């Protein structure tokens, strides 16, 4: 079932969903199951599965020459989606990214997902390789999320890369995109960022999932501006439980977000990360209750393979 259908069937009730990351190469999928099992009591209708692009390193040989070697740290998104569907009977939402793939590889992945009966995808540009200052698409790949969206939308209309195909069966993916309540870090302004978001919706995006935020007012203002621009698809807030003191610097630096002074003060007073985790749970409960009362369609938690904080928040909210 599509994400939009789950939202419609909820008839105004706020749903619970979460996002997981594939285990590192060599780890067991049981790690995913151990993380998800305690959260299934909250009946998530869908679960997002991230994709991490291949990175590369340069290995120096004794003769001084450098060899470019590709590493794939977190494989398995398609396989994990199939496993989640089989084990939990939930709808997996695989993330499809531009980085690391050409259009043919993207098309093949979408064909596999379609054969598995997966109805949803979240399309993203993806991050730049750590060794490069800016994002660079693969040769023959998509430059931006909207280009990727056009490719998925085209397949939904029966258009594949091979122009000679006749009577090709169309796919029927429900397409989600990302939104940034505090703007994407590369955008010159929030209004500029929203214009691009509107283009994605006009091109066929059916729902929006936001970047994490810790100040609900940022989300409310973002939602209001979206509606004023004619963006009328469901907007799903993304939430992350605060857990460690070093996140005071890591989260603003990596995700380009602001942290409320009240939260910063509370975390700075903590003696250890156990106390920080409790602060994060209490903050998450407060955030979630206010958003639920506001009437958001889904509360989407970035669990990152750790279920304890999300479980405690969900118990208090759902």
């Amino acid at each position: 079932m599509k994400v939009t259908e789950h939202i419609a069937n909820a008839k105004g009730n706020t749903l619970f969903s979460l996002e997981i990351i594939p285990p590192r190469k060599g780890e067991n999928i049981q790690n995913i199951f151990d993380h998800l099992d305690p959260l299934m009591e909250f009946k998530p209708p869908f679960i997002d599965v991230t994709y991490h692009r291949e990175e590369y390193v340069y290995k120096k040989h004794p003769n001084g020459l450098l060899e470019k070697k590709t590493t794939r740290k977190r494989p398995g998104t398609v396989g994990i989606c199939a496993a989640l569907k089989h084990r939990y009977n939930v709808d997996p939402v695989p993330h499809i990214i531009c980085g690391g793939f050409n259009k043919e590889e993207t098309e093949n992945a979408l064909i596999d997902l379609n054969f598995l009966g997966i109805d949803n995808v979240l399309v993203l540009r993806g991050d730049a390789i750590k060794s490069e200052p800016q994002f660079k698409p693969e040769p023959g790949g998509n430059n931006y999320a909207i280009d990727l969206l056009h490719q998925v939308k085209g397949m939904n209309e029966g258009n594949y890369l091979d122009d000679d195909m006749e009577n090709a069966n169309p796919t029927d993916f429900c397409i989600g995109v990302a939104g940034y309540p505090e703007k994407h870090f590369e955008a010159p302004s929030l209004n500029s960022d929203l214009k691009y978001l509107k283009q994605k919706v006009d091109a066929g995006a059916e729902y929006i999932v936001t970047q994490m935020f810790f100040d609900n007012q940022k989300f409310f203002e973002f939602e209001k501006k979206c509606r004023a621009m004619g963006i009328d698809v469901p907007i799903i807030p993304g939430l992350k439980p605060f857990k460690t003191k070093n996140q005071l610097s890591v989260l603003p630096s990596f995700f380009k977000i602001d942290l409320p002074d009240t939260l910063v003060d509370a975390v700075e007073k903590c003696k250890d990360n156990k106390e920080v985790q409790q602060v994060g749970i209490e903050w998450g409960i407060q955030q979630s209750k206010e958003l639920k009362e506001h009437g958001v369609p889904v509360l989407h938690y970035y669990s990152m393979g750790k279920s304890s904080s999300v479980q405690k928040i969900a118990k208090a909210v759902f």
Side-chain angles (χ1 to χ4, degrees):
M1 188 181 293
K2 297 181 178 182
V3 168
T4 50
E5 292 173 331
H6 283 299
I7 291 172
N9 291 343
K11 301 184 185 303
N13 293 316
T14 300
L15 300 172
F16 166 85
S17 75
L18 65 153
E19 179 174 304
I20 61 172
I21 58 175
R24 293 183 183 276
K25 184 185 287 188
E27 293 181 353
N28 198 307
I29 196 172
Q30 187 61 44
N31 295 345
I32 294 286
F33 298 152
D34 291 344
H35 163 55
L36 289 177
D37 284 349
L39 299 174
M40 296 313 292
E41 67 172 294
F42 308 110
K43 298 179 172 55
F46 59 90
I47 297 173
D48 278 42
V49 184
T50 66
Y51 195 100
H52 289 256
R53 66 177 296 172
E54 293 180 349
E55 300 276 345
Y56 59 80
V57 296
Y58 287 96
K59 182 179 179 181
K60 189 173 184 179
H61 291 282
N63 61 7
L65 295 177
L66 296 176
E67 178 188 4
K68 184 178 179 180
K69 296 198 68 175
T70 300
T71 62
R72 194 177 183 210
K73 295 182 179 179
R74 294 186 185 273
T77 293
V78 174
I80 290 170
C81 287
L84 295 183
K85 194 174 177 69
H86 174 73
R87 181 180 177 94
Y88 299 114
N89 193 30
V90 301
D91 283 305
V93 183
H95 290 192
I96 307 295
I97 63 174
C98 298
F101 299 92
N102 60 38
K103 291 180 182 179
E104 185 174 356
E105 290 167 331
T106 296
E107 181 175 273
N108 291 339
L110 291 166
I111 289 171
D112 286 343
L113 294 170
N114 185 50
F115 286 169
L116 287 169
I118 291 171
D119 297 323
N120 306 280
V121 293
L122 187 75
V123 299
L124 306 158
R125 189 197 68 179
D127 297 324
I129 293 176
K130 293 177 183 177
S131 58
E132 296 179 347
Q134 293 181 323
F135 176 84
K136 293 181 181 178
E138 290 294 302
N142 292 297
N143 288 302
Y144 301 102
I146 193 167
D147 301 322
L148 184 52
L149 192 154
H150 283 307
Q151 183 174 2
V152 181
K153 185 69 174 177
M155 290 179 65
N156 281 351
E157 296 169 352
N159 300 319
Y160 290 73
L161 295 175
D162 186 352
D163 293 333
D164 295 330
M165 290 178 62
E166 295 182 2
N167 302 317
N169 289 315
T171 55
D172 189 25
F173 292 111
C174 175
I175 307 170
V177 293
Y180 298 85
E182 299 175 65
K183 87 172 184 63
H184 190 277
F185 72 95
E186 293 178 2
S189 68
L190 179 57
N191 284 338
S192 173
D193 200 24
L194 288 173
K195 289 178 183 177
Y196 288 113
L197 184 58
K198 177 68 161 58
Q199 289 177 9
K200 295 175 191 175
V201 172
D202 291 344
E206 297 175 69
Y207 69 97
I208 297 163
V209 181
T210 77
Q211 171 67 282
M212 71 179 72
F213 58 92
F214 291 89
D215 182 349
N216 284 351
Q217 195 58 40
K218 303 266 190 184
F219 174 81
F220 297 145
E221 292 171 1
F222 170 77
E223 182 187 52
K224 185 177 180 180
K225 288 184 176 181
C226 283
R227 300 311 185 209
M229 292 189 71
I231 297 173
D232 57 0
V233 299
I235 302 176
I236 298 171
L239 303 173
K240 178 179 175 61
F242 209 95
K243 288 186 176 180
T244 62
K245 269 200 173 183
N246 73 342
Q247 287 180 331
L248 286 175
S249 58
V250 171
L251 294 181
S253 173
F254 190 82
F255 294 101
K256 314 302 180 187
I257 57 174
D258 290 333
L259 299 177
D261 289 334
T262 307
L263 176 60
V264 173
D265 291 343
V267 171
E268 287 179 339
K269 291 176 183 177
C270 293
K271 298 175 183 176
D272 52 35
N273 284 336
K274 186 176 180 180
E275 290 187 5
V276 174
Q277 184 175 8
Q278 185 57 38
V279 167
I281 290 168
E282 292 170 3
W283 191 272
I285 291 172
Q286 176 187 335
Q287 246 196 306
S288 299
K289 284 184 174 180
E290 185 178 26
L291 289 164
K292 187 178 179 184
E293 185 177 348
H294 179 71
V296 297
V298 185
L299 288 171
H300 185 73
Y301 295 93
Y302 297 113
S303 61
M304 306 303 288
K306 305 293 183 182
S307 61
S308 59
S309 291
V310 175
Q311 184 181 21
K312 289 173 182 175
I313 293 169
K315 273 188 178 294
V317 176
F318 289 93

